[in-house]
Amino acid sequence: MDRPTVLPTPLEVQVKARPLPRHVGIIMDGNGRWAELRGQPRLEGHREGSVSVREVTRTARRVGVQALTLYAFSSQNWARPAEEVAGLMELLREYLESERAEILDNGIRLNAIGEVEKLPRYVKDPLERLMADSAHNTGMVLTLALSYGGREELLRAARSLAESVARGELDPAHLGADDLESRLWTSGLPPVDLVVRTSGEQRISNFLLWQVAYAELCFTDALWPDFRTEEFLRCLSQYQGRERRFGLTSAQLNRDETPQRAKA
């Protein structure tokens, strides 16, 4: 898909020159409010929000973020009005079809986490095809959190551990964090370094509950449909200006006693 060459802004040049978060998660909030403020149906906010998805994905890929996870549809979103849920599923199908060429042409690997089996077939089919066709891409991992909930993820992981213990495959006295992490939907992805939430809300909302243990949090008042390149770059810049101590003191960090996980 041909598009105009994007010239980097001074902020983008600055961000690219400094250490980036390996894995950014985004809680894309404010689509409904954006539409209501304009007297439009809520679905139009979601439609405009898909433009932000495209632009933020392009920017993340361009600056060198390794993994981007977008909270697209939560386990709790199924309880929304049936008309809105149906509209969201149709928008997701449209996104998967319209962005297919861009994802493949830019070396992006598409991934999905959550109870994906609950998605309607007309969404699952293009999702699974694009995941399979992009499986060997190495440019960036774009993960869509679909029918996703952090509690649900942890519960499934705990059940898997319990089943392995019951079969005698694991000794419960020697279970470690790695045993649980290997059973999370995010297994194989880089550690989450930064979580962004739009629309002024300051909640995690059941998103990546285990993974955000040491993540930096960035909250912005921008509604998701208004969250574009410059706002995303400001969040990356804010992350780059923070000191990540992982439970240590600044003095310890200055003596290069940072734990391996902080250096990774």
Side-chain angles (χ1 to χ4, degrees), residues 39-92:
Q40 299 177 6
R42 287 175 58 85
L43 196 59
E44 289 308 307
H46 295 298
R47 189 178 304 279
E48 186 66 21
S50 67
V51 179
S52 294
V53 169
R54 181 179 306 116
E55 187 163 322
V56 168
T57 300
R58 286 175 177 173
T59 304
R61 171 73 175 88
R62 193 167 64 244
V63 300
V65 171
Q66 296 177 30
L68 176 67
T69 296
L70 304 177
Y71 202 7
F73 191 85
S74 76
S75 300
Q76 290 67 44
N77 285 159
W78 292 112
R80 289 189 175 186
E83 182 179 356
E84 183 173 350
V85 171
L88 287 169
M89 291 297 109
E90 181 59 29
L91 283 176
L92 177 56

Side-chain angles (χ1 to χ4, degrees), residues 1 5 10-11 36 41 70 79 89 92 98 100 117 119 139 141 154 172 176 201 216 255:
M1 181 186 301
T5 301
L11 180 57
E36 289 166 1
L70 304 177
M89 291 297 109
L92 177 56
S98 66
R100 177 182 174 83
E117 66 276 5
L119 297 173
V141 182
L154 287 170
E201 302 292 347
E216 297 295 321
R255 293 198 302 267

Side-chain angles (χ1 to χ4, degrees), residues 41 73 77 99 108 145 166 172 198 257:
F73 191 85
N77 285 159
E99 297 303 300
I108 296 172
T198 61
E257 295 180 10

Side-chain angles (χ1 to χ4, degrees), residues 134-175:
S134 66
H136 299 293
N137 289 349
T138 58
M140 183 181 80
V141 182
L142 171 62
T143 299
L144 302 180
L146 300 168
S147 190
Y148 173 86
R151 288 181 173 178
E152 289 78 1
E153 178 180 33
L154 287 170
L155 182 58
R156 285 203 177 193
R159 285 173 177 164
S160 176
L161 280 177
E163 291 167 357
S164 294
V165 168
R167 291 193 296 266
E169 299 168 355
L170 292 174
D171 179 356
H174 295 95
L175 290 178

